[in-house]
Amino acid sequence: MLKRFFDIVASFSGLLILSPIIAIVAWQISRKLGSPVLFRQASPGLHGKPFEMVKFRTMRDAFDENGKPLPDSERITPFGRILRSTSLDELPGLWNVLKGDMSVVGPRPSEDARKKLLLPHFAHSLLGLLMESMPGQSSVAHAESAE
């Protein structure tokens, strides 16, 4: 109960005091990267319950000729590097603390918890990829009729 009270006071105060910096960073992101200004990502919360974590966007949307996103190293902007190195990209996370999704003090979710949360998405994608690459009955029949 005391920890939650501290989270509310700290996050509200942080949002209030840092609001000019948050506004300037948001304006700069809008100017340099366009919209959206915020990046939302599913993250495991208390007892593994997922929540939507909010951060400032640091990368541009860039895809290769096949429609796949380019590697992070090619998508991050110089301004995004500055935001990450100064942790300014994390400031919107104070909203998550205020909502009760995160805490100011406490452990971050482990990499295993993140993988577990994202596994259904990747498993579905992997299954689709395998199904596309496996020959079906029609391709076997087609190969036999071609002989």
Side-chain angles (χ1 to χ4, degrees):
M1 188 69 161
L2 187 60
K3 184 176 177 182
R4 180 69 190 131
F5 177 75
F6 172 75
D7 284 344
I8 291 169
V9 171
S11 60
F12 183 78
S13 301
L15 285 168
L16 191 63
I17 292 167
L18 297 171
S19 61
I21 294 171
I22 292 170
I24 291 168
V25 170
W27 174 68
Q28 287 293 324
I29 291 171
S30 175
R31 208 178 112 237
K32 295 176 188 239
L33 294 172
S35 73
V37 170
L38 297 175
F39 169 74
R40 299 169 189 277
Q41 178 181 21
S43 183
L46 187 62
H47 305 299
K49 180 184 168 200
F51 72 95
E52 191 175 70
M53 184 168 51
V54 183
K55 291 183 172 188
F56 279 127
R57 193 170 137 216
T58 58
M59 290 192 252
R60 59 188 177 89
D61 294 327
F63 302 91
D64 64 13
E65 59 277 350
N66 298 323
K68 294 182 180 177
L70 292 175
D72 290 355
S73 61
E74 293 180 37
R75 295 186 310 139
I76 192 163
T77 63
F79 184 63
R81 277 192 184 83
I82 293 169
L83 290 179
R84 286 187 177 189
S85 68
T86 58
S87 297
L88 289 173
D89 64 321
E90 305 276 349
L91 287 179
L94 290 171
W95 177 250
N96 289 116
V97 175
L98 189 61
K99 286 182 7 182
D101 294 332
M102 292 175 24
S103 181
V104 173
V105 178
R108 285 186 159 228
S110 68
E111 193 61 33
D112 289 340
R114 286 183 180 276
K115 287 178 185 175
K116 194 176 194 179
L117 177 67
L118 297 174
L119 184 62
H121 169 71
F122 288 121
H124 176 49
S125 300
L126 182 60
L127 180 61
L129 181 65
L130 286 173
M131 295 300 284
E132 287 177 11
S133 64
M134 290 175 49
Q137 286 183 337
S138 61
S139 58
V140 172
H142 178 71
E144 288 176 357
S145 67
E147 290 177 357

